[in-house]
Amino acid sequence: MNAQLRAISELDRVIHEPGRLMIVALLAGVKECDFLFLLRETEMNKGNLSSHLARLEEAGYVEIEKTYRGKVPQTLLRLKPAGRTTFDNYRKGLMAAF
Amino acid sequence: MNAQLRAISELDRVIHEPGRLMIVALLAGVKECDFLFLLRETEMNKGNLSSHLARLEEAGYVEIEKTYRGKVPQTLLRLKPAGRTTFDNYRKGLMAAF
DNA sequence: AGAACTGGTTTGCATTGCAAACTAGTCGGC
DNA sequence: GCCGACTAGTTTGCAATGCAAACCAGTTCT
C-alpha cells in the first residue's frame, strides 16, 4: 500500500463523517458555542445535530455542557484537547493524501 | 453557513467513503488496473472491494470489464470521465475546506 | 477423481445517518 | 389558573451502509 492510500485508510472515521466534520471544524475555530448556533451554521436538523454531538462526546472529542440562559435551556459545546489533536491529524492526513 | 462548511457539506458522499476514495485515487493515477491489484494495494477484503466497485459502477464513476487472462477470469477497472471530474471536484472541495 | 486454489459475488448482520415524533419546560392570552 | 403555541433539545424507527463470512464457478495439482 502506498503512502497516499495509507493516509486515506487511517483517517479518523468519527471525524470523517461530513456532519461531524462541520461541527468539529466550527468548534476548532471558536472555543465555545451553543447548540442553536451550530444548528444554524450547519443547516442540519435538530435530531441529526443532537446525535452527531452525542457521538463526538462519546468519542471524547467534544464537551457538552447543559446550562441555562435565563430560564431557557442552553447547550454549550467545546472541542476537547483530544478532539483538537484528532482534527489536526485528520487535516494532516488529508494533506498527505492530496 | 460559511464557505468552509459549505464545501464540506457538498462533498460527494460516494467518493467520500475511504474505501472508495482509495479505489478512485488509485484509478485516477493509472488508467486501468485489475481487481487483484486493487485488492493488494487497498488491503481490503474481496467482498468489501467488490461491493465498493459495484457502487462506483452504479454511480457511473468506474467501468468494470470482465475478461480473461488465459483461462483465469480477470476484472479490469477504469475511471470513467464522470468519475474523474467528480474526483477532481472532491479534491477542490477539500482544498476549499482546509 | 477430488482436494486445493483463484477470482470474485452474494448473504447476513451490526452500525450508521436521518428525520419524524416526542419531551420538558416557558411564555402569552384570556 | 389554564390552554395553546413556542423553544430547546432527545428519542425512536427505519432505510441505507459497510463489513466479513460464506458461497460459487472454474482451474490446477496430484
Side-chain angles (χ1 to χ4, degrees):
Chain A
M1 192 191 260
N2 69 43
Q4 177 186 26
L5 298 193
R6 178 75 58 200
I8 292 171
S9 75
E10 286 173 355
L11 292 171
D12 184 285
R13 299 296 202 115
V14 173
I15 285 196
H16 190 64
E17 157 62 28
R20 288 187 294 266
L21 190 47
M22 287 194 283
I23 295 171
V24 171
L26 251 176
L27 289 179
V30 75
K31 183 191 320 187
E32 169 174 310
C33 72
D34 68 3
F35 187 93
L36 293 176
F37 176 76
L38 283 181
L39 187 62
R40 280 190 308 274
E41 285 297 304
T42 62
E43 293 177 12
M44 293 192 241
N45 59 53
K46 296 181 293 178
N48 206 198
L49 178 55
S50 178
S51 55
H52 280 315
L53 285 171
R55 189 116 158 61
L56 287 169
E57 180 185 36
E58 149 196 339
Y61 295 169
V62 319
E63 183 181 2
I64 303 186
E65 183 188 355
K66 288 171 183 317
T67 172
Y68 283 89
R69 180 173 24 100
K71 289 180 173 177
V72 313
Q74 184 186 37
T75 300
L76 258 28
L77 292 324
R78 277 179 294 275
L79 195 59
K80 301 214 294 185
R84 185 166 307 272
T85 64
T86 304
F87 181 55
D88 288 346
N89 288 335
Y90 181 84
R91 294 214 298 204
K92 282 180 197 145
L94 280 187
M95 293 314 154
F98 297 109
Chain B
M1 192 192 258
N2 69 42
Q4 177 185 28
L5 298 192
R6 178 76 57 200
I8 293 172
S9 74
E10 286 173 356
L11 292 172
D12 183 285
R13 298 296 202 116
V14 173
I15 286 197
H16 190 64
E17 158 62 29
R20 288 188 295 266
L21 190 48
M22 286 195 283
I23 294 171
V24 171
L26 252 177
L27 289 179
V30 75
K31 183 192 321 192
E32 169 177 310
C33 72
D34 68 2
F35 187 93
L36 293 176
F37 176 77
L38 284 179
L39 188 62
R40 281 190 306 274
E41 284 297 304
T42 63
E43 293 178 12
M44 294 192 240
N45 59 54
K46 296 181 293 176
N48 207 200
L49 178 55
S50 178
S51 55
H52 280 315
L53 285 171
R55 191 115 158 60
L56 287 168
E57 179 185 34
E58 151 196 339
Y61 294 170
V62 319
E63 182 181 2
I64 305 186
E65 182 186 356
K66 287 169 185 317
T67 174
Y68 283 89
R69 180 172 24 100
K71 290 181 175 176
V72 312
Q74 184 186 37
T75 300
L76 257 30
L77 292 324
R78 277 178 294 275
L79 195 60
K80 301 215 292 185
R84 185 166 308 271
T85 64
T86 305
F87 181 55
D88 288 347
N89 288 335
Y90 181 84
R91 294 213 298 203
K92 282 179 196 146
L94 281 187
M95 293 315 153
F98 297 108

